[in-house]
Amino acid sequence: MKKQVIAFAFASALAVAGGAFAQQRMEAVVTVTKIDPAGRMVWVEAKTAKRVLHLSPDIDISDLQVGSRYQFQWNESVATAIESGAQRAGAPREVEVTKTGPGMATSMAKASGVIDSLDGKKMSLRTSDGQNETFALGPNVASASFKKGDTVTVTYQRSLVVRVRSTPQPISDPAEPA
């Protein structure tokens, strides 16, 4: 009986995981360069990249300071649908934020723009506000009918910071290994 219960729990977990979009958990030590408390967004820089991240409802934005370093953990953006044409001007980007458990949340959003690159696994989109956004393609996204240069609207689970930890502030970055 105990084995059957464990097998059922394991099968249920797989079914739930299979129904969800596979988001890759990312982690990096970054410096915060800008904060938008109203939009719950932070602009961050690492040695090789800059990006905009959205904060989950669990993160206290008042604990963050521009110029400080933090270790951020977030889920990579995953496209769930692609539609031809641009979303109408002035339509909200954010669809909903749902807390799914302690330290976990999802956020659905839409973005319109021109496809910069598309390789079957990832897509890069240049939005009307000049930002570049990259999305992993979800398992049910039919991307074969789109190509570089097409104007599209993407519905996606966006990058959502689920954990923030302050890190020591070095006087300067460590030297690159020789």
Side-chain angles (χ1 to χ4, degrees):
M1 178 69 174
K2 187 175 181 181
K3 286 182 181 180
Q4 290 174 332
V5 170
I6 291 172
F8 177 73
F10 184 68
S12 297
L14 285 177
V16 169
F21 296 101
Q23 284 187 300
Q24 183 177 352
R25 182 66 55 106
M26 311 294 281
E27 190 169 301
V29 174
V30 297
T31 301
V32 173
T33 59
K34 182 180 173 183
I35 300 172
D36 174 9
R40 297 195 50 76
M41 298 185 299
V42 292
W43 284 253
V44 298
E45 284 185 16
K47 285 186 177 189
T48 59
K50 295 179 183 181
R51 74 182 302 140
V52 178
L53 295 171
H54 304 270
L55 301 175
S56 79
D58 290 345
I59 307 296
D60 185 357
I61 198 165
S62 66
D63 290 342
L64 302 178
Q65 294 181 358
V66 171
S68 293
R69 270 187 199 205
Y70 301 92
Q71 180 183 28
F72 277 22
Q73 191 176 68
W74 69 94
N75 296 322
E76 178 184 45
S77 293
V78 176
T80 59
I82 304 174
E83 304 167 50
S84 291
Q87 182 178 354
R88 72 180 201 282
R93 285 178 64 112
E94 184 172 328
V95 176
E96 69 179 82
V97 176
T98 306
K99 188 173 174 180
T100 58
M104 297 181 344
T106 61
S107 174
M108 296 300 292
K110 287 189 178 190
S112 295
V114 176
I115 297 175
D116 271 346
S117 67
L118 181 66
D119 69 5
K121 293 181 183 180
K122 288 196 179 244
M123 178 177 73
S124 178
L125 187 73
R126 187 177 63 252
T127 63
S128 58
D129 59 3
Q131 299 289 324
N132 274 343
E133 297 205 34
T134 301
F135 310 98
L137 298 176
N140 299 325
V141 173
S143 62
S145 59
F146 299 100
K147 64 186 181 316
K148 182 178 178 173
D150 286 350
T151 300
V152 296
T153 297
V154 178
T155 302
Y156 64 99
Q157 283 184 326
R158 71 182 181 181
S159 296
L160 197 64
V161 175
V162 293
R163 193 181 99 195
V164 176
R165 188 178 64 118
S166 183
T167 63
Q169 305 292 314
I171 294 171
S172 64
D173 285 334
E176 292 292 323

